Short mmCIF file of all heavy atoms in Angstrom, two decimals:
data_model
loop_
_atom_site.label_atom_id
_atom_site.label_comp_id
_atom_site.label_asym_id
_atom_site.label_seq_id
_atom_site.Cartn_x
_atom_site.Cartn_y
_atom_site.Cartn_z
N PRO A 222 69.90 92.72 -68.41
CA PRO A 222 70.27 94.03 -68.97
C PRO A 222 69.16 95.07 -68.80
O PRO A 222 67.98 94.78 -69.00
CB PRO A 222 70.48 93.72 -70.46
CG PRO A 222 70.77 92.25 -70.50
CD PRO A 222 69.95 91.65 -69.41
N ALA A 223 69.56 96.27 -68.42
CA ALA A 223 68.61 97.37 -68.25
C ALA A 223 68.06 97.80 -69.61
O ALA A 223 68.79 97.89 -70.58
CB ALA A 223 69.28 98.55 -67.57
N VAL A 224 66.75 98.05 -69.66
CA VAL A 224 66.13 98.54 -70.88
C VAL A 224 66.42 100.04 -71.00
O VAL A 224 66.17 100.80 -70.06
CB VAL A 224 64.60 98.31 -70.87
CG1 VAL A 224 63.94 98.94 -72.09
CG2 VAL A 224 64.31 96.80 -70.82
N ALA A 225 66.96 100.44 -72.13
CA ALA A 225 67.31 101.85 -72.34
C ALA A 225 66.04 102.70 -72.46
O ALA A 225 65.00 102.22 -72.91
CB ALA A 225 68.16 101.99 -73.59
N PRO A 226 66.11 103.97 -72.07
CA PRO A 226 64.93 104.85 -72.15
C PRO A 226 64.40 104.99 -73.57
O PRO A 226 65.18 105.01 -74.53
CB PRO A 226 65.47 106.19 -71.62
CG PRO A 226 66.62 105.82 -70.75
CD PRO A 226 67.26 104.65 -71.42
N VAL A 227 63.10 105.07 -73.68
CA VAL A 227 62.44 105.35 -74.96
C VAL A 227 61.44 106.48 -74.72
O VAL A 227 60.99 106.72 -73.60
CB VAL A 227 61.70 104.11 -75.51
CG1 VAL A 227 62.68 102.97 -75.74
CG2 VAL A 227 60.58 103.68 -74.58
N SER A 228 61.11 107.18 -75.79
CA SER A 228 60.13 108.26 -75.69
C SER A 228 58.75 107.69 -75.38
O SER A 228 58.39 106.61 -75.86
CB SER A 228 60.10 109.04 -77.00
OG SER A 228 58.97 109.88 -77.06
N ALA A 229 57.97 108.41 -74.59
CA ALA A 229 56.61 107.98 -74.27
C ALA A 229 55.78 107.86 -75.54
O ALA A 229 54.85 107.04 -75.62
CB ALA A 229 55.96 108.96 -73.30
N ASP A 230 56.14 108.63 -76.56
CA ASP A 230 55.43 108.56 -77.84
C ASP A 230 55.79 107.30 -78.62
O ASP A 230 55.10 106.93 -79.56
CB ASP A 230 55.75 109.79 -78.69
CG ASP A 230 55.21 111.08 -78.09
OD1 ASP A 230 54.21 111.00 -77.33
OD2 ASP A 230 55.78 112.15 -78.36
N ASP A 231 56.91 106.67 -78.22
CA ASP A 231 57.36 105.45 -78.89
C ASP A 231 56.90 104.22 -78.12
O ASP A 231 57.63 103.23 -78.01
CB ASP A 231 58.89 105.48 -79.02
CG ASP A 231 59.41 104.35 -79.91
OD1 ASP A 231 58.65 103.86 -80.77
OD2 ASP A 231 60.58 103.96 -79.74
N THR A 232 55.70 104.27 -77.56
CA THR A 232 55.14 103.14 -76.82
C THR A 232 53.70 102.91 -77.29
O THR A 232 53.06 103.83 -77.82
CB THR A 232 55.14 103.39 -75.30
OG1 THR A 232 54.25 104.48 -75.00
CG2 THR A 232 56.53 103.71 -74.80
N LYS A 233 53.22 101.70 -77.08
CA LYS A 233 51.86 101.37 -77.46
C LYS A 233 51.25 100.42 -76.44
O LYS A 233 51.80 99.34 -76.18
CB LYS A 233 51.82 100.73 -78.85
CG LYS A 233 50.42 100.44 -79.35
CD LYS A 233 50.46 99.87 -80.76
CE LYS A 233 49.04 99.58 -81.27
NZ LYS A 233 49.06 99.02 -82.65
N GLY A 234 50.15 100.84 -75.83
CA GLY A 234 49.43 99.99 -74.90
C GLY A 234 49.95 100.02 -73.48
O GLY A 234 49.40 99.36 -72.60
N VAL A 235 51.05 100.77 -73.24
CA VAL A 235 51.65 100.84 -71.91
C VAL A 235 51.13 102.08 -71.19
O VAL A 235 51.03 103.15 -71.78
CB VAL A 235 53.19 100.89 -72.00
CG1 VAL A 235 53.81 100.89 -70.60
CG2 VAL A 235 53.71 99.73 -72.83
N LYS A 236 50.80 101.94 -69.91
CA LYS A 236 50.29 103.05 -69.12
C LYS A 236 51.29 104.21 -69.13
O LYS A 236 52.48 104.02 -68.89
CB LYS A 236 50.04 102.60 -67.68
CG LYS A 236 49.40 103.64 -66.78
CD LYS A 236 49.12 103.04 -65.41
CE LYS A 236 48.46 104.06 -64.49
NZ LYS A 236 48.19 103.48 -63.14
N LYS A 237 50.81 105.41 -69.43
CA LYS A 237 51.70 106.57 -69.58
C LYS A 237 52.22 107.10 -68.25
O LYS A 237 53.31 107.65 -68.18
CB LYS A 237 50.97 107.70 -70.32
CG LYS A 237 50.53 107.34 -71.73
CD LYS A 237 51.70 107.07 -72.65
CE LYS A 237 51.25 106.83 -74.08
NZ LYS A 237 52.37 106.53 -74.99
N LYS A 238 51.45 106.93 -67.18
CA LYS A 238 51.87 107.46 -65.88
C LYS A 238 53.16 106.78 -65.43
O LYS A 238 53.26 105.55 -65.40
CB LYS A 238 50.78 107.25 -64.84
CG LYS A 238 51.15 107.73 -63.45
CD LYS A 238 50.05 107.42 -62.45
CE LYS A 238 50.45 107.86 -61.04
NZ LYS A 238 49.42 107.51 -60.03
N GLY A 239 54.15 107.58 -65.06
CA GLY A 239 55.40 107.03 -64.56
C GLY A 239 56.23 106.36 -65.64
O GLY A 239 57.12 105.57 -65.35
N LEU A 240 55.95 106.69 -66.91
CA LEU A 240 56.70 106.13 -68.02
C LEU A 240 57.84 107.10 -68.33
O LEU A 240 57.66 108.11 -69.01
CB LEU A 240 55.77 105.98 -69.23
CG LEU A 240 56.25 105.13 -70.41
CD1 LEU A 240 56.52 103.69 -69.98
CD2 LEU A 240 55.21 105.16 -71.52
N MET A 241 59.03 106.80 -67.82
CA MET A 241 60.14 107.74 -67.92
C MET A 241 61.47 107.01 -67.75
O MET A 241 61.50 105.85 -67.32
CB MET A 241 60.02 108.83 -66.86
CG MET A 241 60.05 108.30 -65.44
SD MET A 241 59.70 109.57 -64.19
CE MET A 241 57.94 109.78 -64.41
N GLY A 242 62.55 107.71 -68.08
CA GLY A 242 63.87 107.16 -67.89
C GLY A 242 64.55 107.80 -66.68
O GLY A 242 64.12 108.84 -66.20
N PHE A 243 65.60 107.14 -66.19
CA PHE A 243 66.40 107.72 -65.11
C PHE A 243 67.84 107.26 -65.28
O PHE A 243 68.12 106.31 -66.00
CB PHE A 243 65.84 107.31 -63.73
CG PHE A 243 66.13 105.88 -63.34
CD1 PHE A 243 67.14 105.56 -62.44
CD2 PHE A 243 65.38 104.83 -63.88
CE1 PHE A 243 67.40 104.24 -62.08
CE2 PHE A 243 65.61 103.52 -63.53
CZ PHE A 243 66.63 103.22 -62.62
N THR A 244 68.74 107.97 -64.64
CA THR A 244 70.16 107.62 -64.71
C THR A 244 70.58 106.91 -63.43
O THR A 244 70.43 107.43 -62.33
CB THR A 244 71.04 108.87 -64.91
OG1 THR A 244 70.63 109.55 -66.11
CG2 THR A 244 72.51 108.50 -65.03
N ARG A 245 71.10 105.71 -63.58
CA ARG A 245 71.55 104.91 -62.45
C ARG A 245 72.87 105.46 -61.89
O ARG A 245 73.57 106.21 -62.58
CB ARG A 245 71.75 103.46 -62.90
CG ARG A 245 70.52 102.78 -63.46
CD ARG A 245 70.88 101.59 -64.34
NE ARG A 245 71.84 100.72 -63.69
CZ ARG A 245 71.51 99.66 -62.93
NH1 ARG A 245 70.22 99.34 -62.79
NH2 ARG A 245 72.42 98.91 -62.36
#
């Protein structure tokens, strides 16, 4: 299952560059 998009502010410890959602 595809992981649904989350806000970059709702992440911890994950590299911010290229942290985004897209529509398939």
Side-chain angles (χ1 to χ4, degrees):
V224 175
V227 300
S228 167
D230 294 334
D231 190 24
T232 65
K233 183 177 180 180
V235 183
K236 185 177 180 180
K237 299 295 185 182
K238 178 183 178 183
L240 194 60
M241 61 187 74
F243 74 103
T244 302
R245 301 159 49 92

